[in-house]
């Protein structure tokens, strides 16, 4: 009778039970947050401009009859006179999308892949097969953060065995190849993710999108690369919300509706609606910057006031709670 030799495998594992428990909990926690944020980034639909930015049937007909030029722009100026927009094209014209037939809100751009206008569009990401914009930018940031922590954790826990591999301190088993491959894969992903995550952290601190970093927004007074920046703290709150308990969770808590944003403009656009009677034309922050008080929506205007106003606004039961609101419902209620 022929006996086939059975190879013996020696497991390479941690010996301390407490260390095993801590590593298992940390691994599954990071993995769960990584998958949750990745899922939200993929399946959260990008938000589109509300109905008020779409031209009426009569305006569309009038626009089609007018040739390109001053008459064409005059039609758009009349249609946009009551809209909360401050940005213009490079030539100073109203930003209009021929494909969607709408006046573009500030920071809105047309995605050629999705073939629609996306609110506060950052970029179209092939890794998530979705546009990254106002509705899912926070989820995208958390996806980068948790994927980076996940890869760093794997590389850190595998490092000691990787060193033993090169010093011939591991038993001669098939696990040697897996240890080497796992370390190199985790280390390479950590390097690429750290640079991408660091870049987007810088964008958040400056209140810029990827598109705005490459081409600064144009206002009536000219190009201003920091036109939407309100300071580090307020820039963070605009993306992550006022309630810090939601910051690390992939639930929607961003401020605003995506159609209008506070700006640090000093010269108010004369074509925009004026402030209602009884109110000052501008608001001032502790940094002595002047900001237009209107036509910002209520959900954004509190960013321009002091912390006491934030508390009063958050205490208003009609505003809803951060992290519990649906951006699509918010837009639907405001149109």
């Amino acid at each position: 009778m022929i006996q086939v030799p059975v190879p013996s495998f020696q497991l390479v594992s941690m010996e301390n039970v407490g260390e095993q428990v801590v590593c298992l909990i940390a691994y599954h926690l990071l993995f769960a947050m990584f998958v949750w944020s990745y899922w939200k980034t993929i399946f959260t639909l990008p938000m589109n401009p509300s109905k008020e930015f779409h031209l009426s049937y009569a305006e569309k007909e009038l626009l089609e009859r007018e040739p390109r030029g001053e008459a064409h722009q005059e039609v758009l100026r009349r249609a946009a006179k009551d809209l909360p927009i401050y940005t213009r094209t490079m030539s100073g014209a109203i930003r209009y999308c021929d494909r969607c037939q709408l006046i573009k809100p500030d920071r809105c751009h047309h995605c050629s892949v999705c073939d629609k206008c996306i609110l506060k569009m950052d970029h179209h990401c092939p890794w998530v097969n979705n546009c990254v914009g106002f509705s899912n930018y926070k989820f995208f940031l958390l996806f980068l953060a948790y994927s980076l922590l996940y890869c760093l954790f794997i590389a850190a826990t595998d490092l000691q065995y990787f060193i033993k591999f090169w010093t011939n301190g591991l038993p001669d088993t098939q696990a040697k190849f897996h240890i080497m491959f796992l370390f190199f894969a985790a280390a390479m992903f950590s390097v690429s993710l750290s640079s991408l995550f660091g870049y987007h952290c810088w964008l958040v601190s400056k209140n810029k999108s990827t598109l705005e970093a490459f081409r600064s927004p144009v206002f009536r007074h000219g190009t201003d690369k920091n036109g939407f920046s309100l300071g580090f703290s307020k820039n963070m709150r605009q993306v992550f919300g006022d309630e810090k308990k939601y910051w690390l969770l992939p639930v929607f808590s961003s401020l605003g509706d995506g159609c209008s944003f506070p700006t640090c403009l000093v010269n108010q656009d004369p074509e925009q609606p004026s402030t209602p009677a009884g109110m000052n034309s501008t608001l001032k922050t502790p940094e002595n910057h002047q900001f237009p008080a209107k036509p910002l929506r209520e959900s954004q205007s509190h960013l321009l006031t002091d912390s006491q106003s934030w508390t009063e606004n958050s205490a208003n039961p009609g505003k809803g709670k951060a992290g519990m609101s649906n951006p699509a419902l918010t837009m639907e209620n405001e149109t």
Side-chain angles (χ1 to χ4, degrees):
M1 183 175 180
I2 301 176
Q3 292 183 349
V4 180
V6 179
S8 58
F9 295 98
Q10 183 174 356
L11 296 177
V12 179
S13 179
M14 299 176 179
E15 297 179 356
N16 188 286
V17 178
E19 189 179 4
Q20 292 177 354
V21 172
V22 171
C23 286
L24 281 174
I25 293 176
Y27 173 85
H28 286 94
L29 180 61
L30 290 174
F31 181 73
M33 298 303 294
F34 159 70
V35 173
W36 186 9
S37 56
Y38 186 51
W39 178 276
K40 293 286 286 186
T41 306
I42 294 176
F43 293 104
T44 300
L45 295 178
M47 288 175 62
N48 312 120
S50 54
K51 294 179 181 179
E52 61 184 322
F53 291 91
H54 290 258
L55 298 182
S56 64
Y57 181 76
E59 290 171 335
K60 290 178 183 178
E61 281 193 333
L62 187 59
L63 201 63
E64 291 174 357
R65 290 199 301 265
E66 297 292 345
R68 292 281 181 176
E70 185 59 30
H72 192 272
Q73 274 297 302
E74 184 60 32
V75 175
L76 293 178
R77 276 196 289 267
R78 288 199 301 266
K81 65 183 178 65
D82 293 326
L83 296 178
I85 56 174
Y86 288 99
T87 54
R88 299 290 188 266
T89 64
M90 294 298 294
S91 61
I94 299 293
R95 300 171 65 242
Y96 177 73
C97 180
D98 292 308
R99 297 279 297 178
C100 302
Q101 294 186 316
L102 56 83
I103 296 173
K104 294 180 182 178
D106 292 343
R107 317 185 81 175
C108 174
H109 298 274
H110 186 90
C111 177
S112 58
V113 180
C114 300
D115 196 26
K116 61 180 68 174
C117 286
I118 308 299
L119 294 180
K120 196 187 176 184
M121 180 178 174
D122 188 87
H123 68 286
H124 186 93
C125 182
W127 298 104
V128 299
N129 192 30
N130 196 7
C131 255
V132 177
F134 175 75
S135 61
N136 62 350
Y137 187 61
K138 177 191 172 184
F139 307 148
F140 178 74
L141 287 173
L142 291 179
F143 159 63
L144 293 180
Y146 287 122
S147 57
L148 174 60
L149 291 175
Y150 181 66
C151 290
L152 288 174
F153 176 81
I154 292 176
T157 53
D158 190 46
L159 179 60
Q160 58 176 318
Y161 303 105
F162 181 76
I163 295 174
K164 290 180 180 179
F165 169 80
W166 288 106
T167 57
N168 296 321
L170 289 178
D172 191 15
T173 65
Q174 292 181 352
K176 296 175 68 174
F177 170 76
H178 298 295
I179 289 173
M180 181 182 66
F181 176 79
L182 184 63
F183 180 81
F184 274 119
M188 287 187 294
F189 274 109
S190 298
V191 172
S192 59
L193 285 170
S194 61
S195 60
L196 184 59
F197 179 64
Y199 175 68
H200 278 277
C201 286
W202 176 80
L203 289 178
V204 172
S205 68
K206 299 296 183 180
N207 205 338
K208 295 181 180 180
S209 65
T210 300
L211 295 176
E212 292 166 352
F214 283 96
R215 187 172 64 182
S216 301
V218 180
F219 300 88
R220 287 278 298 181
H221 66 277
T223 302
D224 190 345
K225 63 180 181 180
N226 296 316
F228 293 106
S229 180
L230 306 174
F232 179 78
S233 178
K234 294 178 183 178
N235 292 343
M236 289 286 292
R237 285 189 174 97
Q238 195 172 100
V239 175
F240 292 97
D242 285 332
E243 300 189 51
K244 294 183 179 180
K245 61 183 178 181
Y246 296 116
W247 282 18
L248 299 181
L249 298 177
V251 293
F252 186 82
S253 59
S254 301
L255 299 180
D257 58 2
C259 291
S260 63
F261 297 90
T263 67
C264 61
L265 293 174
V266 175
N267 300 321
Q268 187 171 359
D269 192 338
E271 294 186 1
Q272 296 306 320
S274 59
T275 307
M279 294 182 62
N280 294 329
S281 60
T282 56
L283 294 175
K284 292 187 177 181
T285 64
E287 292 84 357
N288 293 324
H289 290 300
Q290 290 183 323
F291 303 116
K294 284 292 180 179
L296 298 174
R297 286 175 166 78
E298 293 296 331
S299 54
Q300 283 288 1
S301 60
H302 77 279
L303 278 173
L304 306 181
T305 58
D306 55 18
S307 57
Q308 182 179 0
S309 298
W310 298 348
T311 307
E312 292 172 357
N313 287 340
S314 61
N316 191 338
K319 296 295 182 183
K321 294 184 178 180
M324 307 291 285
S325 60
N326 187 330
L329 294 178
T330 304
M331 280 184 57
E332 190 176 47
N333 291 334
E334 293 184 350
T335 55

